[in-house]
Amino acid sequence: MFATLSDRLADTFKNLRGKGRLSDADIDATAREIRIALLEADVALPVVKEFVAAVKDRARGEEVSGALNPAQQIIKIVNEELVEILGGETRRLRYAKTGPTVIMLAGLQGAGKTTLAAKLALWLKEQGKQPLLVACDLQRPNAVKQLQVNGERAGVPVFAPEPGNGVGDPVGVARASIEEATRRLHDVVIVDTAGRLGVDAELMQQAADIRDAVRPDEVLFVVDAMIGQDAVGTAQAFLDGVGFDGVVLTKLDGDARGGAALSIRSVTGRPVMFASNGEKLTDFDVFHPDRMAGRILD
Ligand code: GDP
């Protein structure tokens, strides 16, 4: 990811090399190129506009620092602005003060939710937690089985519907899972919910009902970075329909241009908290805006 954007920006900065001082014309030309690079990377237009305006303002107003040449100075500004639009500080999970912490996952089918649930569970286990995975995706025929297989791989138990705890009733399963977690002293509950191929009212209502039943500490919106600009529209629909606290970007290992990663925070106001970059359970980490910006400018 970001390969084209990285190359584009590198070319832009190359043009500034050797310049003693940047004229307004130099700054305008650079800003134009950054704008094109971001648009090509599929970053949402309002985000591009804001980004370019901020870079331009700062480049004009910046004190000339003795230590940095003009090209380095622009790179520094772009880096800081990238960190900013990616969310600034890393946003950590908030744990419940009493009882199990409930994390609910929402997103479209194929976003990578079920895989992510197991990745997150493994990661939490490695932090010394005792998570419980909960299969509330009763829509996709294979989803429960898939979660059970992944749960086994992660060494994390899975609470799934069976006679007595709500076959065919995701809200009932979700509710029962909290009781089970409390009884068995699990400190984190990860609730996987159903996704559809497109946003639809029934899906939103079901997710909202599960949310009301389990009152999650964190609702995480899981989104495939490969869907580019569509990620922003989908995020907005989930924000309106279910609401969420943070975002998990998946498939960062693909050749997406990076637009979703760069837009989603600004558009939704919600931070990217985790990133998933492969099919293995360990292909997962906390999202660090500064490292991501560093990768883009590498
Ligand atoms: P769900 O429908 O949202 O539960 O999505 P799944 O967890 O079933 O994932 C859909 C497909 O994407 C599966 O084939 C996963 O193996 C794959 N997948 C999930 N996360 C990643 C990732 O970060 N990178 C890659 N390359 N594939 C992923």
Side-chain angles (χ1 to χ4, degrees), residues 281-296:
L281 289 187
T282 47
D283 294 331
F284 168 83
D285 207 352
V286 171
F287 184 81
H288 297 288
D290 52 345
R291 287 188 209 162
M292 188 58 89
R295 263 179 53 194
I296 296 171

Side-chain angles (χ1 to χ4, degrees), residues 106-117 119 137 140 143 146 150 192-196 222 224 226 249-254 275-280 283-284:
L108 294 182
Q109 183 173 320
K113 272 187 314 303
T114 304
T115 313
L116 185 275
K119 289 177 173 187
D137 180 354
R140 195 158 53 92
Q146 191 192 340
N150 278 323
D192 186 22
T193 65
R196 302 284 158 84
V222 182
D224 177 347
M226 303 283 284
L249 284 173
T250 63
K251 311 193 192 178
L252 291 189
D253 52 314
S276 186
N277 61 348
E279 297 196 61
K280 291 203 301 291
D283 294 331
F284 168 83

Side-chain angles (χ1 to χ4, degrees), residues 147-167:
L147 191 66
Q148 283 167 331
V149 168
N150 278 323
E152 202 161 309
R153 270 191 209 132
V156 172
V158 176
F159 186 81
E162 55 186 55
N165 67 17
V167 178

Side-chain angles (χ1 to χ4, degrees), residues 42-271:
D42 237 355
V43 180
L45 184 60
V47 180
V48 174
K49 283 187 172 160
E50 203 176 311
F51 186 92
V52 172
V55 170
K56 226 159 128 171
D57 269 7
R58 287 187 54 189
R60 287 207 170 127
E62 200 91 338
E63 288 292 302
V64 181
S65 140
L68 298 178
N69 65 40
Q72 289 167 329
Q73 220 152 19
I74 294 262
I75 294 172
K76 178 168 173 281
I77 294 170
V78 169
N79 179 59
E80 287 168 5
E81 292 297 326
L82 281 174
V83 173
E84 188 62 31
I85 65 164
L86 288 167
E89 294 280 301
T90 301
R91 159 74 154 76
R92 307 275 170 186
L93 268 181
R94 283 182 304 228
Y95 295 101
K97 292 205 174 61
T98 55
T101 299
V102 180
I103 302 171
M104 173 178 154
L105 307 179
L108 294 182
Q109 183 173 320
K113 272 187 314 303
T114 304
T115 313
L116 185 275
K119 289 177 173 187
L120 182 61
L122 177 62
W123 180 83
L124 286 163
K125 201 178 116 181
E126 284 168 355
Q127 318 272 312
K129 304 282 181 198
Q130 293 188 41
L132 176 68
L133 282 161
V134 181
C136 288
D137 180 354
L138 310 185
Q139 219 71 39
R140 195 158 53 92
N142 236 341
V144 173
K145 181 84 200 140
Q146 191 192 340
L147 191 66
Q148 283 167 331
V149 168
N150 278 323
E152 202 161 309
R153 270 191 209 132
V156 172
V158 176
F159 186 81
E162 55 186 55
N165 67 17
V167 178
D169 167 21
V171 178
V173 174
R175 200 176 285 122
S177 77
I178 306 297
E179 289 162 21
E180 169 86 354
T182 309
R183 201 163 41 237
R184 296 196 180 271
L185 302 179
H186 288 285
D187 45 13
V188 186
V189 181
I190 302 168
V191 182
D192 186 22
T193 65
R196 302 284 158 84
L197 289 174
V199 170
D200 76 35
E202 205 185 319
L203 156 77
M204 287 301 173
Q205 193 52 51
Q206 186 184 91
D209 290 345
I210 293 175
R211 179 201 63 206
D212 292 346
V214 301
R215 286 192 270 126
D217 298 283
E218 302 273 23
V219 178
L220 303 183
F221 170 63
V222 182
V223 64
D224 177 347
M226 303 283 284
I227 69 173
Q229 287 269 3
D230 286 349
V232 168
T234 309
Q236 197 59 56
F238 274 86
L239 201 55
D240 298 341
V242 192
F244 56 83
D245 305 291
V247 178
V248 182
L249 284 173
T250 63
K251 311 193 192 178
L252 291 189
D253 52 314
D255 59 0
R257 287 173 285 182
L262 287 163
S263 311
I264 216 148
R265 162 68 210 233
S266 301
V267 174
T268 64
R270 302 293 184 279

